[in-house]
């Protein structure tokens, strides 16, 4: 079925935008992608109208209705398109609860440590420790959820895969920038191999950004922040 | 038929209360384990090794953690008295506003509670801005869920109990009926609902607890 007016306001560099794109790709839903300069302080009128509360990307526009917050969007896609292949959330309520639990852990507990690393001054060691500890927790979760298959979702990419997978571009930037080996096969073999599979999956391979492009982008945004006047 | 439901909670956790509210609205029987969070039980640590927190709902021996995750689990497992709307867009809106509550509303109200002077004025303005969105969402409705209590009402339920407690301790008005008529009415309707009313923790204990939580901030204040 044609896109019937599906638009994504997002950015190639944003993991939150990436996860929406990957999910739409998984479900073979056509959409128009509109790149927003979200890091600039003056947001486009289009973005402010679509997301007046947060003025942030991503926003999914479907049948002229706007939905914001990436995890809300992912669940909406699952529920609004019911004949586009398997749901990204599992069908069993308990498995769905586990998927939502890990998505929340990844977004609210684990990824903030990576952001903290960026701002760190002296306490990098402790933060890196937390990041590794979190990866061990996620490795265990991967083993339990995948049950020997390729993805957290089993045979197919599922909710947790998309949530964690959308951060892989930035994880590689941090590895490069800080000289770390986060996706270390000797410590987290399951996740390391999963990451390779995820990045080469048809739905994700053109969405997860290349490391060098992201590094350039990061430096450009930092320069913009330094050059712009305060406030 | 016993559903083998066990809820690990503390006496005051607003997150645990969300689960209590949902279970009662669905008419479900459950066992309660009240945890002393300064002395967590082996069961708690086993069921929630990631966060070591309450609430934890154990259903047929399997734990579910994180209150909003638990709410969705309850709604998907027991179909009576649905908590989330049926329509995908309305469900998305309910989840959006619940996240707004967690990320913006609660932190901004907490900031008002623990700050003083000029800082508090700034915090009040911020909180008021957030509350205006909730006021808008309630226009023409008794509950966020419409005629009956739903997911979003339960997500915001902490306000119906805690706001007046914080107001009393800090001697200020966060939500007045003139500025926020719909929100004020909602707080009363929610708090007085027969299913909800019997669950509130003892007010004097709550006042004592939150006074103690505020102390360190007063000491470091200007």
């Amino acid at each position: 079925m044609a896109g019937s007016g599906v638009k994504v306001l997002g950015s190639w560099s944003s993991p939150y935008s990436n996860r929406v794109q990957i999910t739409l790709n998984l479900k073979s839903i056509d959409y128009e992608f509109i790149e927003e300069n979200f890091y600039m302080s003056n947001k486009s009128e289009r973005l402010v109208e679509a997301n007046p509360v947060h003025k942030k990307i991503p926003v999914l526009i479907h049948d002229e209705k706007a939905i914001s917050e990436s995890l809300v969007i992912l669940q909406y896609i699952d529920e609004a398109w019911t004949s586009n292949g398997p749901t990204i959330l599992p069908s069993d309520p308990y498995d769905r609860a586990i998927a939502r639990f890990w998505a929340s852990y990844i977004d609210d507990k684990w990824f903030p440590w990576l952001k903290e690393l960026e701002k760190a001054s002296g306490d990098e060691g402790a933060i890196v420790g937390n990041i590794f500890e979190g990866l061990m927790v996620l490795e265990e979760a991967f083993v339990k959820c995948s049950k020997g298959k390729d993805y957290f979702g089993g045979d197919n990419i599922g909710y947790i895969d998309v949530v964690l997978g959308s951060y892989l571009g930035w994880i590689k930037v941090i590895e490069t920038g800080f000289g770390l080996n986060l996706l270390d096969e000797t410590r987290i073999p399951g996740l390391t191999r999963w990451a390779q599979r995820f990045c080469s999956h048809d739905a994700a391979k053109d969405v997860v950004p290349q490391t060098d492009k992201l590094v350039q982008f990061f430096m450009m945004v930092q320069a913009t922040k330094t050059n712009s006047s305060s406030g | 038929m016993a559903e083998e439901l066990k809820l690990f909670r503390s006496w005051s956790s607003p997150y645990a209360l969300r689960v209590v509210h949902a279970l009662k609205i669905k008419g479900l029987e459950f066992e309660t384990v009240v945890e002393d969070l300064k002395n967590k039980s082996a069961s708690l640590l086993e069921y929630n090794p990631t966060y070591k927190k309450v609430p934890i709902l154990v259903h047929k021996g399997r734990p579910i953690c994180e209150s909003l995750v638990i709410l969705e689990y309850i709604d998907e497992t027991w179909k009576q008295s649905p908590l989330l709307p049926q329509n995908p867009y309305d469900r998305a809106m309910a989840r959006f506003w619940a996240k707004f509550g967690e990320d913006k509303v609660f932190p901004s109200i907490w900031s008002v509670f623990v700050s003083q002077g000029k800082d508090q004025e700034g915090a009040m303005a911020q909180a008021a801005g957030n509350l205006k969105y909730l006021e808008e969402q309630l226009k023409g409705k008794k509950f966020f869920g419409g005629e009956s209590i739903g997911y979003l009402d339960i997500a915001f339920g902490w306000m119906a109990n805690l706001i007046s407690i914080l107001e009393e301790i800090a001697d200020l008005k966060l939500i007045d009926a003139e500025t926020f008529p719909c929100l004020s009415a909602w707080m009363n309707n929610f708090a007085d609902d027969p299913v909800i009313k019997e669950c509130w923790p003892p007010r004097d204990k709550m006042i004592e607890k939150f006074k103690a939580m505020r102390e360190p901030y007063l000491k470091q204040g200007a």
Side-chain angles (χ1 to χ4, degrees), chain B residues 168-179:
Chain B
E168 187 178 315
I169 298 168
D171 191 27
L172 45 67
K173 198 73 187 155
L174 279 158
I175 299 177
D176 67 275
E178 213 184 293
T179 319

Side-chain angles (χ1 to χ4, degrees), chain B residues 81-100:
Chain B
S81 306
L83 301 176
L84 274 165
Q86 294 304 308
N87 172 287
Y89 177 73
D90 296 334
R91 293 163 74 85
M93 289 303 102
R95 289 174 179 136
F96 173 87
W97 289 113
K99 188 170 199 318
F100 179 76

Side-chain angles (χ1 to χ4, degrees), chain B residues 12-132:
Chain B
S12 64
S13 162
Y15 302 105
L17 271 177
R18 286 171 171 169
V19 181
V20 173
H21 294 159
L23 291 170
K24 289 204 177 261
I25 285 171
K26 296 264 184 188
L28 298 165
E29 299 277 315
F30 60 99
E31 195 193 319
T32 299
V33 176
V34 182
E35 288 278 338
D36 172 5
L37 297 178
K38 297 196 199 93
N39 187 16
K40 295 171 181 175
S41 73
S43 295
L44 187 161
L45 300 174
E46 187 198 316
Y47 285 134
N48 191 358
T50 311
Y51 296 113
K52 306 175 177 55
K53 282 182 174 179
V54 293
I56 306 164
L57 183 70
V58 181
H59 181 213
K60 295 190 170 137
R62 298 194 300 183
I64 305 110
C65 309
E66 294 297 290
S67 62
L68 295 181
V69 174
I70 298 172
L71 290 190
E72 296 231 30
Y73 175 80
I74 291 172
D75 211 28
E76 289 171 1
T77 308
W78 293 278
K79 304 295 188 188
Q80 69 274 25
S81 306
L83 301 176
L84 274 165
Q86 294 304 308
N87 172 287
Y89 177 73
D90 296 334
R91 293 163 74 85
M93 289 303 102
R95 289 174 179 136
F96 173 87
W97 289 113
K99 188 170 199 318
F100 179 76
E102 304 291 77
D103 294 348
K104 301 286 181 194
V105 177
F106 180 74
S108 64
I109 287 181
W110 188 254
S111 287
V112 175
F113 182 62
V114 300
S115 58
Q116 299 165 83
K118 270 257 161 320
D119 287 343
Q120 192 178 63
E121 281 173 33
M124 282 282 264
Q126 181 97 295
N130 292 332
L131 292 169
K132 279 208 178 75

Side-chain angles (χ1 to χ4, degrees), chain A residues 115-148:
Chain A
K115 290 206 284 190
E116 242 180 82
L117 195 57
E118 196 197 308
K119 299 187 230 145
S121 46
D123 51 347
E124 285 88 348
I127 300 171
V128 171
N130 285 334
I131 293 172
F132 271 119
E133 220 179 277
L135 283 171
M136 304 293 280
V137 167
L138 290 170
E139 173 78 7
E140 211 186 301
F142 175 72
V143 170
K144 276 209 187 108
C145 295
S146 65
K147 299 185 181 69

Side-chain angles (χ1 to χ4, degrees), chain A residues 205-223:
Chain A
K205 68 183 198 288
D206 297 325
V207 180
V208 180
Q210 298 301 314
T211 313
D212 50 359
K213 224 184 148 196
L214 267 182
V215 169
Q216 265 186 332
F217 172 80
F218 177 74
M219 313 231 292
M220 186 267 291
V221 172
Q222 295 299 99

